[in-house]
Amino acid sequence: MKNVGEAPQEELATGERSTRNRVARSILDHGPSTVADLAKRLGLTQAAVRRHLDALAHENVVEPREQRVYGARTRGRPAKVFALTDCGRDAFDQSYDKLAAEALRWITEHHGEEAVVAFARARITAQAETYRQAIDAASPEQRTEALAKALTADGYAATARSAPVGEQLCQHHCPVAHVAEQFPQLCEAETEMFSELLGTHVQRLATIAHGDGVCTTFIPRSGGSGSSTTRQATTPASASTAGRNPA
């Protein structure tokens, strides 16, 4: 498990963070738990467990819930249990990338690579509408910057910078890099989308999925780039190199 939240150095030295992680791990392994349950499993006092739970709740790792009662309810208020939040669950190792890759591999085996291409294009088309609105609202010289900001809002940490005879769109993070490493169709569909949105041929120079530090796309400077009348699908040349390092 990754360390959740931030902690002062002196707290780390005393093992507080390690114990807090044990509390979260116990909830992951056993499900929503009461303070008494956690104290018994971990060999801690209930006061110590409450202190760690308060800290984890402050970090949005756990949240209190009313314990579900099956059958006849006894007198008195039901015991409060603590469950992991989505944020807390994400602090543990996940297998989403593996699951996505397995799903695309199954699609390839049963329906062919064309089905993967269709999926990649449908996925990026759904994202593109927000990007299109941002680009249409920008002046021609600000369209690449507008696209970068829209991508950043989707978790790509994108920037735009000037380059000789054009601009470079740089994505410093890729949420699907591990899957795109096995299925470059995801990168290719994204590059096609950039070309269509900006109304010009673009060239993918580097991708995180193929070992580069940044996904870099070159956008040539051209008169009228990005106008609605000049938008067109990317040319075969750009599609053939999208998502792959140039030779």
Side-chain angles (χ1 to χ4, degrees), residues 135-197:
I135 292 170
D136 285 348
S139 60
E141 63 274 12
Q142 293 295 320
R143 291 180 185 274
T144 303
E145 178 66 31
L147 177 57
K149 289 181 179 179
L151 286 165
T152 295
D154 266 354
Y156 289 87
T159 58
R161 64 188 184 192
S162 297
V165 300
E167 296 175 286
Q168 284 188 353
L169 177 68
C170 300
Q171 295 159 265
H172 302 274
H173 176 65
C174 176
V176 298
H178 295 303
V179 180
E181 182 179 355
Q182 301 175 57
F183 295 93
Q185 295 93 333
L186 297 174
C187 295
E188 291 167 7
E190 182 181 76
T191 306
E192 290 178 2
M193 182 263 289
F194 290 164
S195 179
E196 193 274 332
L197 288 176

